Amino acid sequence: MVDSTPDTAAHPRFAAALRELGLDVEVRRFPDATRTAAEAAAAIGCELSQIVKSLVFEADGQPVVVLMDGASRVDVELVRHELGAGSVHRADAALVRETTGYAIGGVPPFGHRTRTRVLADRRLLDHETVWAAAGNPHTVFPLDPKSLIAHAEGTLVDVRERSA
């Protein structure tokens, strides 16, 4: 069962961000958490690559959000090169919450607590519609990828790990 109420299902901070941006999107709430991209894709009934993962990394001590399709992994070395950073690693749960205001598994692509640099992998543009977390592990929303990246103020990059 899916609850498709407007932004009331979204985390309050994210619902406020949607209103501020003038976005009227359908936020879907699931009874079971969709913390992983695979769980979200199965619940929605879409391709894994249509899920947007909002991942937080730490680059030379500064948080950065990377938007990646659900079927791919981030190549940390490509992120490091893109940022011109000395070191890049995944942020811990405390830094994710401090930076974005959300817990891992529910981080949306925008509407974060602090203004953070956002890198968006170009492969997200392969779809007409993508799905992202709406601030908690139980909610998602659809949007066309160009709009999603624009609202996130993301820079288009190629940071997807290449298959061997």
Side-chain angles (χ1 to χ4, degrees):
M1 176 171 165
V2 176
D3 177 15
S4 299
T5 54
D7 64 27
T8 56
H11 184 285
R13 175 178 287 109
F14 187 67
L18 290 174
R19 284 191 299 277
E20 286 173 24
L21 293 168
L23 282 175
D24 182 19
V25 298
E26 173 192 14
V27 175
R28 291 190 187 176
R29 181 171 185 79
F30 297 98
D32 297 318
T34 54
R35 290 184 192 277
T36 68
E39 290 170 345
I44 295 164
C46 70
E47 294 177 33
L48 184 57
S49 60
Q50 286 181 271
I51 301 298
V52 178
K53 298 186 290 191
S54 299
L55 306 169
V56 182
F57 289 83
E58 194 171 350
D60 292 343
Q62 295 297 312
V64 62
V65 175
V66 177
L67 305 179
M68 179 61 64
D69 77 86
S72 300
R73 294 175 54 97
V74 174
D75 184 322
V76 177
E77 186 58 26
L78 291 176
V79 171
R80 188 189 71 72
H81 183 265
E82 187 67 42
L83 297 172
S87 70
V88 173
H89 59 274
R90 286 292 289 265
D92 64 22
L95 181 61
V96 171
R97 189 177 286 279
E98 177 187 323
T99 300
T100 67
Y102 308 96
I104 293 172
V107 177
F110 49 85
H112 301 155
R113 174 181 286 151
T114 58
R115 187 169 175 83
T116 306
R117 183 158 184 196
V118 177
L119 302 179
D121 190 75
R122 193 173 309 281
R123 189 162 177 202
L124 292 172
L125 298 176
D126 290 351
H127 301 284
E128 285 185 32
T129 301
V130 292
W131 295 83
N136 66 60
H138 294 274
T139 59
V140 295
F141 72 99
L143 199 61
D144 72 275
K146 285 184 182 177
S147 294
L148 183 135
I149 293 165
H151 289 304
E153 298 180 14
T155 302
L156 269 180
V157 294
D158 291 305
V159 293
R160 179 174 52 94
E161 196 174 82
R162 304 289 187 244
S163 301

